[in-house]
Amino acid sequence: MSVSTVGGAPRGELSALLTSDARLRAFARRAALALVPLTLLIAFGLLGTGPVPGRNWLGDLLGYDFSQVWLAGRGALEGRAAGAYDLNAHLAAQAAAFGPDADRFAWHYPPVFLLPAALLGLLPYGAAFPLWMLVTLGLFALALRQATGSRDGVLIACAHPLVLCNLAYGQNGLLTAGLLTLGALLVDRRPVLAGLLLACVAYKPQLAALAPALLLVTGRWRALAACLAGVAGLCALSCLAFGLAPWQAFLATLAETNRIALREAWSGLDINASAFGAVRLLGGSLASAWAGQVAVALLAVGTAWRVWAGGAPLTLRAAALLAAAPLVSPYVPLYDLAPLVPASALLAIEAHRRGGLTGAERALLIASPLAAAALRPVAGATGLSLGLALALATLALVAARALPRRVPGPVPSGAGAR
């Protein structure tokens, strides 16, 4: 008897992944057992260390994106906290500290992010970068353990390409995903703690704004009060630590941030996974890009509100927040899609509780890591934003499972006779 194969694997085994939840989970676990050690080796070994101080084994700067966080923190410790918002001075400081190939990052964060930056600035750069990776990965893993309740769930999530993307560049997407996940999952049991965790995302206001809005419209007053108090406390603490000058500089540079991130797309059109970025990537005008962004943002906010207000289970409410948050912002670098990983995990958990994945949900879980591994190459080659499509698909499937379906009632006698 011959066995048909596809790419060396029995065709029956491949088709089973599309029909069997148990087979899909077993395959994901086996893949993660190989991919997670490889991810850690690449992130902490190849890219996180090197023979030359401040450079990895490829000769590139350790944690390209993290370098300016550490540098801004050092400046704040030296009494130059507002200097990070002076673009020319910030670029010159990067070149002086890390070499001429490092002067390419503008500082857009509100001054609350100078607080952790200053703490990291107390350490030498070679120690600060791996510590940042460990802390953000640890928080992400803790959030996934809270979400899935299993080590396998954490393992599979940590094998996702978006995890390596954040670790390799020293970005904060894992921190954002971890804080949003924990805050959303604790909102019923520990509302004050949940609000404080959500407040900590204030360093990314474009991703943080949806959570307090949902708390407001659903009447979760204790969590909302804690969230607002937490944001106010972080702002006050940054003022006490660094004075008012950084806030004045931050507000004065908002127009420049819009020019750099949106109008001129310094980082490249292919890195922005928002609706705004997708329209611009296809050659659309700024006006059409903003129209598309507003439409998608309203859709995302409305969908998340319906899920939260409709009595959906906690897992699906958290998944809706995580999937919708990136859709609200006009600027979503690929690493900021990290909240989609716990959103997909929560969707799978709820599906398991209700009898199994639908075909569309299974397809999403299979396609998500594959798409995430090719987000930028596909965008550059085709002009299509897989990141936006992935976020929309995740939110749509969360809503499909969370929102009650209308069942047609009996047709009144004689209703069809006119």
Side-chain angles (χ1 to χ4, degrees), residues 102-120:
D103 61 340
R104 57 177 185 153
F105 300 107
W107 181 262
H108 304 303
Y109 294 102
V112 294
F113 200 47
L114 290 172
L115 294 168
L119 292 176
L120 291 162

Side-chain angles (χ1 to χ4, degrees), residues 118-166:
L119 292 176
L120 291 162
L122 292 170
L123 300 173
Y125 188 73
F129 177 50
L131 176 63
W132 174 253
M133 290 196 293
L134 283 171
V135 169
T136 56
L137 179 62
L139 181 69
F140 180 78
L142 175 65
L144 264 295
R145 182 59 189 258
Q146 182 75 21
T148 65
S150 72
R151 285 178 292 183
D152 281 355
V154 176
L155 182 71
I156 293 169
C158 287
H160 201 283
L162 288 173
V163 173
L164 177 58
C165 174
N166 274 276

Side-chain angles (χ1 to χ4, degrees), residues 15-398:
S15 63
L17 298 180
L18 301 175
T19 57
S20 169
D21 291 1
R23 290 283 186 91
L24 178 59
R25 176 166 179 164
F27 175 82
R29 184 178 184 278
R30 290 197 301 270
L33 285 171
L35 290 174
V36 168
L38 181 61
T39 293
L40 297 179
L41 178 63
I42 293 173
F44 288 90
L46 182 64
L47 302 179
T49 60
V52 178
R55 298 278 162 170
N56 61 35
W57 287 95
L58 300 178
D60 298 324
L61 181 65
L62 287 178
Y64 265 116
D65 295 7
F66 175 75
S67 62
Q68 71 153 342
V69 176
W70 180 85
L71 191 64
R74 274 292 173 100
L77 291 172
E78 295 169 359
R80 297 179 287 103
Y85 298 98
D86 183 330
L87 180 59
N88 292 330
H90 189 54
L91 293 175
Q94 292 173 61
F98 300 109
D101 59 337
D103 61 340
R104 57 177 185 153
F105 300 107
W107 181 262
H108 304 303
Y109 294 102
V112 294
F113 200 47
L114 290 172
L115 294 168
L119 292 176
L120 291 162
L122 292 170
L123 300 173
Y125 188 73
F129 177 50
L131 176 63
W132 174 253
M133 290 196 293
L134 283 171
V135 169
T136 56
L137 179 62
L139 181 69
F140 180 78
L142 175 65
L144 264 295
R145 182 59 189 258
Q146 182 75 21
T148 65
S150 72
R151 285 178 292 183
D152 281 355
V154 176
L155 182 71
I156 293 169
C158 287
H160 201 283
L162 288 173
V163 173
L164 177 58
C165 174
N166 274 276
L167 293 177
Y169 289 98
Q171 264 297 341
N172 47 41
L174 299 182
L175 179 64
T176 304
L179 290 170
L180 287 176
T181 302
L182 289 171
L185 290 175
L186 293 172
V187 74
D188 290 341
R189 290 189 293 115
R190 304 283 299 278
V192 173
L193 177 58
L196 293 176
L197 289 168
L198 294 172
C200 289
V201 193
Y203 65 90
K204 277 281 178 75
Q206 70 273 27
L207 297 180
L210 180 60
L214 292 176
L215 297 178
L216 173 65
V217 298
T218 56
R220 290 175 165 82
W221 307 118
R222 291 181 66 196
L224 177 62
C227 181
L228 297 179
V231 172
L234 288 172
C235 294
L237 185 58
S238 71
C239 290
L240 288 173
F242 311 119
L244 293 176
W247 280 101
Q248 294 168 339
F250 168 68
L251 295 174
T253 57
L254 289 179
E256 186 175 70
T257 296
N258 175 64
R259 175 181 66 85
I260 291 172
L262 298 178
R263 293 179 62 87
E264 298 180 6
W266 278 24
S267 298
L269 291 173
D270 56 345
I271 200 175
N272 187 0
S274 69
F276 181 96
V279 174
R280 293 287 286 153
L281 188 63
L282 289 171
S285 65
L286 285 171
S288 60
W290 276 115
Q293 179 60 47
V294 170
V296 169
L298 290 175
L299 174 66
V301 172
T303 302
W305 171 75
R306 287 192 62 199
V307 172
W308 275 62
L314 178 63
T315 50
L316 293 179
R317 279 189 275 130
L321 169 63
L322 291 162
L327 291 168
V328 174
S329 172
Y331 184 62
V332 186
L334 301 180
Y335 48 78
D336 275 342
L337 292 173
L340 298 181
V341 179
S344 299
L346 288 163
L347 177 62
I349 291 296
E350 189 61 30
H352 177 70
R353 291 173 181 167
R354 299 192 189 186
L357 296 163
T358 64
E361 291 166 345
R362 193 175 295 110
L364 173 70
L365 294 178
I366 294 172
S368 176
L370 299 176
L375 290 175
R376 197 163 190 181
V378 169
T382 68
L384 299 177
S385 177
L386 287 183
L388 176 63
L390 189 59
L392 286 169
T394 304
L395 181 59
L397 291 178
V398 170

